[in-house]
Amino acid sequence: TWCRYISGNGIECLIALIIANQLAQWLKVLRLAYSSKSFNLSMLFASGGMPSSHSSTVTALATSVGLVS
């Protein structure tokens, strides 16, 4: 399977930070769409706000490096 190709070479850390970053950005878009009743995809590329994509990325990277090492 594809899992054996990403296991043990550090790519899982990269995958974890990409997933965390995208999840935080999409949650930001969905939260703003729910509160303002309008869907604004430009927020997908905006910095700042909550949830913080920078914080989620750093936390995912630190956690995955700790689990892999």
Side-chain angles (χ1 to χ4, degrees):
T1 65
W2 61 272
C3 291
R4 67 181 153 169
Y5 297 114
I6 64 168
S7 179
N9 59 8
I11 294 178
E12 58 270 290
C13 297
L14 182 63
I15 291 170
L17 73 91
I18 290 171
I19 290 172
N21 182 285
Q22 289 302 301
L23 185 62
Q25 287 297 97
W26 277 104
L27 283 173
K28 189 185 306 182
V29 169
L30 293 175
R31 183 183 60 87
L32 273 146
Y34 180 76
S35 65
S36 68
K37 306 293 189 254
S38 65
F39 197 73
N40 186 3
L41 267 182
S42 68
M43 287 303 295
L44 191 61
F45 304 104
S47 62
M50 287 302 290
S52 172
S53 59
H54 177 260
S55 296
S56 66
T57 303
V58 171
T59 302
L61 181 60
T63 303
S64 61
V65 166
L67 290 173
V68 169
S69 297

